[in-house]
Amino acid sequence: MSSIHAVILAAGQGTRMKSKLYKVLHPVCGKPMVQHVVDSLDTMQVSNVVVVVGHGADKVRETLQDRVIYAMQEEQLGTAHAALQAKDALADKAGTTLLLYGDVPLLSKETLSKLLAYHEEQKAAATVLTAVVSDPTGYGRIVRDETNEVSRIVEQKDASDEERLITEINTGIYCFDNQKMWDTLRMVKNENAQGEYYITDCVAILREANEKVAAFSAVDPDETMGVNDRVQLSMAESYMRRRINEMHMRNGVTIIDPASTYIEADVTIGSDTVLLPNTVLKGNTSIGSDCKIGPQADLTDMDVSDTVCISYSVLTHSKIDEGATVGPFAYIRPQTHIGPHAKVGDFVELKNTIIGAGSKVNHLTYLGDSEVGQDTNIGCGTISVNYDGAKKHKTMIGDRSFIGCNTNLVAPVTVGNEAYVAAGSTINQDVPDGAFAIARERQTNKLGYAVNLPRKQSE
Ligand code: UD1
Ligand code: CA
């Protein structure tokens, strides 16, 4: 196969989105559309990827960084004009150029490979990826001649009533012979309903020059949908969500209710893990094998090891080691590390905190900026008093210690190994290894006093 280059058009404003966010940056399953397009080229030996930017150029650069080459389209005069801006980057190259739109995010690697193979096989100057859809509204229609060859593409706004009945549409994905593409693009005129330079006119121009234009029909028309407004955005989201869920199920993950399970594009999950309803896995979350996640678990950028159980909880930017359990109703905030076989139970909030192997924080506790050793028990209602109004301070607790219920640990403070803190204590001094600390008012019993206290009379 000859060398392959790619041009991704991503300079349009996306007016129909009615959004402050630039269209190709709207996420589908957590990842900006244009990034999906760039990622689809990942395994395909593409020598140069040029992204044509215009509206929101800086933001697109921030998203894609130096993975691609950028070409600037100062004024959005149409898709042919946009493609021409990539010429400087590719003018002297031989081979095939894949042309893609940044707002067609669902395309699979398999379809792209098939398209390229077909283009090579047909020895065409250009090959258009087409799809037959039930509702072609808004798309360019594929017009075929009497021998069934593609003769031109007509945009919805320029189409006659008869042409509008055509259900074979232009997906916006093409293969071009790189050299022929630049020559053809220069010949495109803007005499149409929108006064724009349409890349779709390249088809008719090539045909008039007796060049071969092939058409390859995508297997699954859903994956070629373009996103122009929020209705299409939600359709793209549900299509991709289904595809992601099915991929994980095929890899050995049980998803009890795919309809209520939301997994973003870059999440990884080990086999024999079970996802219960209403589980949301976002960002760079990775989940090990044999875990039980959900119901109602919301994880962002989490690193979860094998055999972990998480239910009814919200967790972000943290790490959980094997065999640990979290929830129900825990809130795990960034930079937390829950050690192997540790247990974090109901109404526990952890932030920037390490819980050692086998330790238990079972109920109603807040630990922030804290380190807990191994096999330590943190009693119900323990609070790390980590903030003095200006600064955060650390709480350190050793191994095999016991913190009694309703303890305040006024940081900075250290409780040693095998230490014991009595329930209800407010600890503001370090507790040495093996010590028993009690810091509360002594109890006084006033004998017989209770009978004199006012009581509500029973009727
Ligand atoms: C386009 C096609 C249409 C096809 C549909 C598939 C043309 C003329 N029409 O229509 O045949 O069925 O896509 O989804 O190509 N862009 C620029 N600069 C510009 C104009 C557009 O970079 O000056 C980019 C946009 O950011 C977008 C892509 O090109 O990513 C397509 O533009 P859009 O306006 O969405 O074209 P459609 O009307 O959807
Ligand atoms: Ca579009």
Side-chain angles (χ1 to χ4, degrees):
M1 215 180 234
S2 60
S3 64
I4 300 162
H5 319 282
V7 175
I8 301 169
L9 305 188
Q13 188 172 17
T15 336
R16 288 166 280 181
M17 295 296 282
K18 303 213 167 69
S19 176
K20 290 181 284 302
L21 184 65
Y22 176 56
K23 175 163 78 174
V24 297
L25 293 179
H26 274 267
V28 171
C29 291
K31 186 156 47 171
M33 288 198 265
V34 68
Q35 201 174 326
H36 280 289
V37 180
V38 174
D39 287 353
S40 70
L41 301 169
D42 255 2
T43 52
M44 296 191 60
Q45 253 115 69
V46 179
S47 327
N48 303 285
V49 179
V50 185
V51 176
V52 180
V53 291
H55 282 283
D58 291 347
K59 292 269 184 286
V60 177
R61 281 200 177 95
E62 251 170 57
T63 304
L64 299 175
Q65 311 239 334
D66 52 9
R67 289 178 68 191
V68 299
I69 306 165
Y70 296 95
M72 188 71 188
Q73 186 194 23
E74 298 287 352
E75 242 188 311
Q76 279 62 60
L77 303 179
T79 45
H81 178 261
L84 257 185
Q85 311 311 309
K87 191 180 167 196
D88 283 353
L90 299 176
D92 59 342
K93 306 277 191 282
T96 300
T97 295
L98 253 177
L99 200 130
L100 306 147
Y101 294 166
D103 66 348
V104 181
L106 304 177
L107 206 68
S108 67
K109 291 176 179 150
E110 295 71 37
T111 301
L112 280 178
S113 308
K114 283 186 200 158
L115 171 70
L116 272 167
Y118 187 77
H119 175 74
E120 294 267 318
E121 183 192 304
Q122 293 289 307
K123 299 194 173 40
T127 303
V128 187
L129 182 68
T130 73
V132 176
V133 296
S134 49
D135 178 13
T137 313
Y139 290 99
R141 311 294 206 281
I142 303 293
V143 182
R144 289 175 180 268
D145 63 19
E146 52 292 342
T147 60
N148 209 31
E149 296 286 315
V150 180
S151 57
R152 62 193 181 95
I153 299 172
V154 62
E155 289 304 297
Q156 161 102 12
K157 287 185 178 144
D158 302 290
S160 64
D161 287 348
E162 202 182 325
E163 285 165 338
R164 284 185 188 188
L165 297 175
I166 299 172
T167 53
E168 186 181 13
I169 57 112
N170 169 31
T171 63
I173 290 123
Y174 322 81
C175 285
F176 279 97
D177 170 274
N178 188 57
Q179 290 305 322
K180 286 178 185 159
M181 172 162 132
W182 307 118
D183 296 340
T184 316
L185 281 173
R186 257 195 317 245
M187 293 164 71
V188 172
K189 299 200 172 60
N190 64 350
E191 289 150 9
N192 51 52
Q194 302 189 84
E196 283 187 10
Y197 295 89
Y198 292 162
I199 196 160
T200 45
D201 286 353
C202 288
V203 171
I205 296 171
L206 284 166
R207 282 301 309 273
E208 272 155 35
N210 284 322
E211 294 282 0
K212 177 160 184 155
V213 178
F216 181 73
S217 222
V219 197
D220 181 357
D222 283 349
E223 70 173 75
T224 61
M225 75 169 288
V227 174
N228 298 310
D229 59 26
R230 312 256 185 168
V231 176
Q232 287 171 325
L233 183 68
S234 77
M235 285 158 67
E237 178 84 24
S238 64
Y239 177 89
M240 188 163 291
R241 181 150 68 89
R242 198 172 62 234
R243 187 155 91 190
I244 291 170
N245 286 354
E246 285 174 5
M247 182 264 292
H248 288 295
M249 290 188 272
R250 292 210 168 84
N251 287 343
V253 176
T254 295
I255 302 182
I256 301 293
D257 180 24
S260 71
T261 304
Y262 299 79
I263 307 172
E264 289 190 352
D266 291 333
V267 171
T268 61
I269 310 173
S271 65
D272 286 322
T273 281
V274 178
L275 304 182
L276 291 133
N278 292 324
T279 290
V280 183
L281 305 175
K282 292 177 285 193
N284 287 319
T285 292
S286 81
I287 312 263
S289 305
D290 302 294
C291 294
K292 200 171 148 217
I293 311 291
Q296 305 274 15
D298 182 336
L299 281 69
T300 306
D301 293 331
M302 286 295 301
D303 178 356
V304 177
S305 194
D306 300 339
T307 62
V308 167
C309 291
I310 299 172
S311 65
Y312 299 95
S313 293
V314 176
L315 306 90
T316 79
H317 296 87
S318 292
K319 183 169 164 38
I320 303 183
D321 291 340
E322 67 193 54
T325 63
V326 175
F329 312 113
Y331 182 24
I332 309 302
R333 293 168 54 198
Q335 317 308 332
T336 290
H337 181 177
I338 298 171
H341 306 284
K343 186 171 182 316
V344 173
D346 52 277
F347 307 106
V348 171
E349 175 178 339
L350 302 178
K351 186 216 74 176
N352 187 29
T353 284
I354 299 170
I355 305 293
S359 287
K360 293 188 173 70
V361 191
N362 277 335
H363 353 253
L364 297 159
T365 289
Y366 170 63
L367 293 178
D369 308 301
S370 304
E371 277 181 37
V372 176
Q374 299 183 11
D375 298 315
T376 280
N377 188 82
I378 307 290
C380 175
T382 298
I383 304 285
S384 65
V385 185
N386 61 326
Y387 185 49
D388 61 12
K391 279 201 190 122
K392 303 281 169 65
H393 299 281
K394 289 211 77 139
T395 299
M396 310 288 285
I397 301 166
D399 299 337
R400 296 171 302 282
S401 288
F402 184 96
I403 309 295
C405 292
N406 200 29
T407 293
N408 296 312
L409 297 157
V410 184
V413 72
T414 297
V415 176
N417 298 325
E418 279 142 17
Y420 195 112
V421 173
S425 293
T426 292
I427 299 295
N428 58 5
Q429 293 166 46
D430 290 353
V431 180
D433 289 353
F436 171 77
I438 178 162
R440 65 179 183 223
E441 279 281 296
R442 227 172 232 291
Q443 180 172 332
T444 313
N445 287 340
K446 303 200 172 177
L447 298 179
Y449 194 86
V451 288
N452 300 323
L453 294 175
R455 297 271 167 87
K456 193 174 174 191
Q457 300 297 312
S458 56
E459 283 154 35

